[in-house]
Amino acid sequence: MKRLYIIVEGQTEQEFVNSMIAPYMQQHGVYTVTPLLIRTSKTGRGGFVNYEHLKNDAKKLLSSKKSDFVVSTFVDFFRIPEVPQKERWEKKATHIEQVEEMEQCIAEDINDSRFIPYIQLHEFEALLFSSNKGFESFFSEDNAKDTQHIIDTFSNPEDINTTPAGAPSKRLLAIKDDYDKVIEGNLIALEVGINDILAKCPRFRAWIEKLIETCK
């Protein structure tokens, strides 16, 4: 099995990889899974505000000629910085088509068979809406009723983002104004569980399955 490096944009995604993705991958024989925060400067890490930061990190990892590893990304579509070949992806009619085209453009720009770009539609918080049991465990009863209403409205959590104010994280902040993405986000994810997330989020599931297959 090959080693897997996942370039992430923040501490929330880093912890999610460590606590949720890595154990699942290990069940499928991928035993080394390492999340890496995007390097934003010589001393700074975390935050996806410039595509070149991600590209530099990917290129640095891929500068090794070894073939015993795979590099991927786990970044949000919501507020994503401009990626290459804007003329191709900006004219796509739907968000999912834009994301798919962006991933293709990034793959072509990096140009390495060991690199598999992935953009989460629309952001990490979408995964939390795979089940209400996480919100029921950490939110008040009234707040959990509000999250259940959102879940009932969208059969696919990855579709949650009808307006800029309707992004998953914005909805959570509207329900609970002190929602903490890093701490509560991952506690809720752990309560939901990877299997429910995979069952409800087809793009996320396809990415995980592709990583497992590529790492064999």
Side-chain angles (χ1 to χ4, degrees), residues 39-190:
R39 182 182 288 276
T40 56
S41 65
K42 288 184 178 180
T43 57
R45 289 185 180 275
F48 188 25
V49 296
N50 188 317
Y51 169 72
E52 291 301 316
H53 294 159
L54 183 148
K55 180 177 179 178
N56 290 339
D57 286 350
K59 286 289 191 180
K60 185 175 181 179
L61 287 167
L62 296 165
S63 63
S64 169
K65 300 303 180 184
K66 294 181 179 180
S67 59
D68 63 344
F69 68 93
V70 172
V71 178
S72 190
T73 64
F74 184 34
V75 297
D76 293 344
F77 175 63
F78 182 59
R79 291 180 174 171
I80 193 170
E82 189 171 310
V83 303
Q85 302 194 64
K86 182 178 180 180
E87 69 281 359
R88 280 174 49 180
W89 51 261
E90 72 171 351
K91 65 183 179 182
K92 295 296 182 179
T94 66
H95 286 158
I96 190 169
E97 290 174 329
Q98 289 178 353
V99 166
E100 290 172 349
E101 192 67 25
M102 281 181 172
E103 289 173 343
Q104 183 61 34
C105 290
I106 294 171
E108 292 173 8
D109 188 48
I110 302 297
N111 191 28
D112 193 302
S113 61
R114 297 167 295 174
F115 180 67
I116 301 172
Y118 174 71
I119 300 170
Q120 177 61 45
L121 185 67
H122 285 86
E123 57 182 341
F124 164 78
E125 272 80 5
L127 305 176
L128 306 183
F129 287 91
S130 298
S131 165
N132 205 44
K133 59 188 175 184
F135 299 121
E136 290 171 351
S137 295
F138 296 100
F139 283 14
S140 70
E141 183 176 347
D142 286 343
N143 288 346
K145 288 180 180 178
D146 291 335
T147 55
Q148 183 64 62
H149 175 71
I150 296 170
I151 291 170
D152 292 341
T153 303
F154 295 89
S155 59
N156 179 354
E158 294 171 316
D159 290 336
I160 300 173
N161 193 44
T162 51
T163 65
S169 63
K170 298 297 185 183
R171 290 173 184 264
L172 289 179
L173 285 169
I175 292 170
K176 186 175 185 289
D177 60 11
D178 61 347
Y179 164 71
D180 186 300
K181 176 172 183 169
V182 177
I183 298 174
E184 288 181 289
N186 277 291
L187 288 173
I188 291 166
L190 284 167

